[in-house]
Amino acid sequence: MNPSEHDLKFMAEAREQARLGLEERGVPVGSVLVLGDKVIAHGRNRRVQGGDPIAHGEMDCIRAAGRQRSYRQMTIYTTLSPCMMCAGTIVQFGIPRVVIGENETFGGNEDFLRARGVDVVVLGDPGCKALMDEFQRRYPDVWNEDIGVD
Amino acid sequence: MNPSEHDLKFMAEAREQARLGLEERGVPVGSVLVLGDKVIAHGRNRRVQGGDPIAHGEMDCIRAAGRQRSYRQMTIYTTLSPCMMCAGTIVQFGIPRVVIGENETFGGNEDFLRARGVDVVVLGDPGCKALMDEFQRRYPDVWNEDIGVD
């Protein structure tokens, strides 16, 4: 499905989360969990800020949403394509739609998601990519750690 | 690979975490992350206790371990077979070996793990199963929520 105006608006919110993360010297990945046109939660990668290895953007967002009875009408926005942890989580929680800012910096789990019935939209957003480019230039070690590269 | 005496010892520690969880009225799944014969971290499901939907036992354990440079020599113990979130996380972090207490109450991601090169050992531990049986009897709604069943 093509991105809607809603999608672009919510991706802008996710990108703002990523920008805040970079300001904090963290990995600039932001996420928003949405039901209809209502934001349920915002999140961003807090590995560095919180010393928390599982706090990728999507995880931080889902955690911030607290316990939900169902995710089956929700969309999750993420500035960067989900890693295997986050992709597994999206499938486990039954989130049916993922809108991805960019998948050039990191990607590869889109097919896993689609095979499990998740609708995946990739926007190819240059603003999301620019944040990651700047981060990788500044902190290459943290980036490798975040994606599980020794 | 068959379980070693070490495996049985560390599974007893994971089971004790699960027991503590049940005492707290939480989902009784415990986990231990081990390097050689050294425990790196303990964890248990804290969905109920912390209002945190991503705090499954393995996630809580990996979070408690903090930022690690590499997981490639580690084993993770879990009293219950990993859900798709936890299985994805094990793959993402490059944890090469998982020892599972039981997979009768919940299972199905063992093949996903094996296909990604993870060594999976299932102990069939009646003590782990008894804790889950008691939990499901007492709190069926929380259990359904934890595994993403509406």
Side-chain angles (χ1 to χ4, degrees):
Chain A
M1 203 164 78
N2 287 327
S4 64
E5 270 183 51
H6 269 169
D7 289 338
L8 300 178
K9 183 181 87 171
F10 292 128
M11 186 54 70
E13 293 195 26
R15 205 169 50 229
E16 172 60 13
Q17 288 290 315
R19 198 193 59 73
L20 290 169
L22 188 61
E23 258 184 32
E24 297 164 345
R25 298 165 176 261
V27 184
V29 180
S31 181
V32 184
L33 186 65
V34 170
L35 176 65
D37 55 5
K38 186 181 155 209
V39 171
I40 303 294
H42 293 94
R44 58 180 175 270
N45 188 306
R46 296 186 204 262
R47 163 182 281 273
V48 172
Q49 298 93 314
D52 181 350
I54 66 170
H56 282 196
E58 304 92 312
M59 306 302 282
D60 186 58
C61 184
I62 292 169
R63 183 193 297 169
R67 290 166 64 184
Q68 298 283 328
R69 187 133 295 272
S70 172
Y71 300 81
R72 292 190 205 280
Q73 304 295 323
M74 295 190 190
T75 294
I76 192 162
Y77 294 80
T78 173
T79 56
L80 182 64
S81 188
C83 78
M84 193 65 247
M85 169 173 66
C86 297
T89 302
I90 288 163
V91 168
Q92 179 63 30
F93 284 54
I95 299 172
R97 186 164 182 264
V98 184
V99 180
I100 295 172
E102 61 109 349
N103 64 354
E104 285 179 56
T105 306
F106 180 89
N109 295 310
E110 295 85 358
D111 285 347
F112 166 84
L113 287 165
R114 289 187 180 115
R116 305 278 179 137
V118 180
D119 178 25
V120 179
V121 178
V122 181
L123 299 182
D125 181 303
C128 294
K129 177 133 190 351
L131 286 163
M132 285 306 304
D133 287 347
E134 187 174 341
F135 177 75
Q136 288 177 302
R137 253 195 323 271
R138 285 203 217 165
Y139 315 107
D141 289 357
V142 179
W143 171 239
N144 282 334
E145 182 190 313
D146 204 60
I147 57 169
V149 173
D150 284 2
Chain B
M1 204 166 78
N2 286 326
S4 65
E5 270 185 51
H6 270 170
D7 289 338
L8 300 178
K9 184 181 87 174
F10 292 128
M11 185 54 69
E13 292 195 26
R15 204 170 49 230
E16 173 59 12
Q17 287 290 315
R19 198 192 59 73
L20 289 169
L22 189 60
E23 258 185 32
E24 296 163 346
R25 298 164 177 260
V27 185
V29 180
S31 181
V32 184
L33 186 66
V34 170
L35 176 64
D37 57 4
K38 186 182 155 210
V39 171
I40 303 294
H42 294 93
R44 59 179 176 271
N45 187 305
R46 297 186 202 263
R47 164 182 280 272
V48 173
Q49 299 93 314
D52 182 348
I54 67 169
H56 281 195
E58 304 92 313
M59 307 301 283
D60 185 59
C61 185
I62 291 169
R63 182 193 297 171
R67 289 165 63 183
Q68 299 283 329
R69 187 133 295 273
S70 172
Y71 299 82
R72 292 191 204 282
Q73 305 295 322
M74 296 191 190
T75 295
I76 192 162
Y77 294 80
T78 174
T79 56
L80 183 64
S81 189
C83 79
M84 194 63 246
M85 168 173 67
C86 297
T89 302
I90 288 163
V91 167
Q92 178 64 30
F93 284 55
I95 301 173
R97 186 163 182 266
V98 184
V99 181
I100 296 171
E102 61 109 350
N103 63 354
E104 285 179 57
T105 305
F106 180 89
N109 295 309
E110 295 85 359
D111 285 348
F112 167 85
L113 288 165
R114 289 188 179 113
R116 305 277 178 137
V118 180
D119 179 24
V120 179
V121 179
V122 182
L123 299 181
D125 181 304
C128 294
K129 176 131 190 352
L131 286 163
M132 284 306 303
D133 288 348
E134 187 173 342
F135 177 75
Q136 288 177 301
R137 252 194 324 270
R138 284 203 218 167
Y139 316 106
D141 288 356
V142 180
W143 170 239
N144 282 336
E145 182 190 313
D146 204 60
I147 57 170
V149 173
D150 285 1

